[in-house]
Amino acid sequence: MEQLEHTCCFTGHRPERLPWLEDAGDLRTQALEQMLWARINQSYRDGYCRFLTGMARGVDLLCARLVLRLREDAPEVRLIPVLPYPGQASRWPRAVREEHRGILQSCREEIVVISPAYHRGCFQQRNRYLVEHAGKIIGVYDGQPRGGAWHTLNYARQLGRQMEVLMPQ
């Protein structure tokens, strides 16, 4: 495994917390995408070439799409999906399941699966894995002291990871 200083991970909210995120035409979605694109590109210029994503709906999938776009011009960039369990997307809407499957297919060479089946702590284990295997975390966080992004950012802070946190409008 490469060194932490070359690996960046993502955390952020799902559409339940940012309902406008699934509307590509929403100005807030477009603004967030531009901010994330700028952060991902700058991270690459700073030497980060490995990007870990938890593959959840919302921010994780958005970041995965952006890293794959970057990889078109920078083939050394690697996107590494970190799944809490194999059936993560099984109950999602069809279009999102298809996007999830397409991203996984484009990253076949390296996919991390935390648990062979769902169990009550597998999402938290996935989030801890992301932070423990990255030197930097890019987060989208609404400031509310609850939820997976909040816990993940707190853990990153405890481990002294470099953090860039975007607050959605």
Side-chain angles (χ1 to χ4, degrees):
M1 176 162 286
E2 293 185 34
Q3 298 175 357
L4 291 178
E5 66 260 14
H6 299 293
T7 305
C8 178
C9 71
F10 306 104
T11 192
H13 299 303
R14 296 184 181 136
E16 292 77 13
R17 292 271 287 273
L18 303 175
W20 44 265
L21 192 56
E22 292 186 316
D23 179 1
D26 191 294
L27 294 178
R28 294 167 292 185
T29 302
Q30 293 171 9
L32 180 60
E33 184 172 336
Q34 290 173 356
M35 289 187 290
L36 286 167
W37 178 245
R39 291 297 188 341
I40 290 167
N41 272 286
Q42 185 59 53
S43 296
Y44 171 67
R45 287 191 298 276
D46 290 343
Y48 292 90
C49 55
R50 298 179 72 234
F51 294 88
L52 307 178
T53 175
M55 294 294 289
R57 288 175 51 230
V59 171
D60 286 0
L61 289 180
L62 173 57
C63 290
R65 287 193 304 270
L66 294 173
V67 171
L68 290 176
R69 186 189 333 162
L70 175 63
R71 192 172 75 177
E72 291 172 8
D73 294 325
E76 66 279 10
V77 167
R78 290 169 42 209
L79 177 66
I80 301 157
V82 180
L83 304 177
Y85 66 102
Q88 174 184 23
S90 64
R91 295 183 179 173
W92 295 353
R94 181 182 177 153
V96 184
R97 282 195 323 265
E98 289 174 1
E99 177 184 26
H100 188 271
R101 186 179 318 114
I103 292 169
L104 291 177
Q105 288 174 348
S106 71
C107 302
R108 272 179 283 197
E109 67 279 353
E110 192 169 4
I111 298 172
V112 175
V113 179
I114 298 301
S115 174
Y118 172 81
H119 66 84
R120 195 165 169 233
C122 66
F123 288 94
Q124 184 178 13
Q125 286 179 313
R126 186 256 336 255
N127 294 344
R128 291 176 71 86
Y129 180 96
L130 291 168
V131 173
E132 290 167 357
H133 290 84
K136 176 180 181 177
I137 184 167
I138 297 173
V140 176
Y141 172 58
D142 65 7
Q144 298 299 313
R146 61 183 167 84
W150 178 68
H151 286 288
T152 304
L153 290 168
N154 281 338
Y155 188 54
R157 193 172 293 112
Q158 289 172 12
L159 295 186
R161 298 302 193 248
Q162 179 184 348
M163 296 178 9
E164 293 185 20
V165 181
L166 304 172
M167 304 271 304
Q169 301 300 320

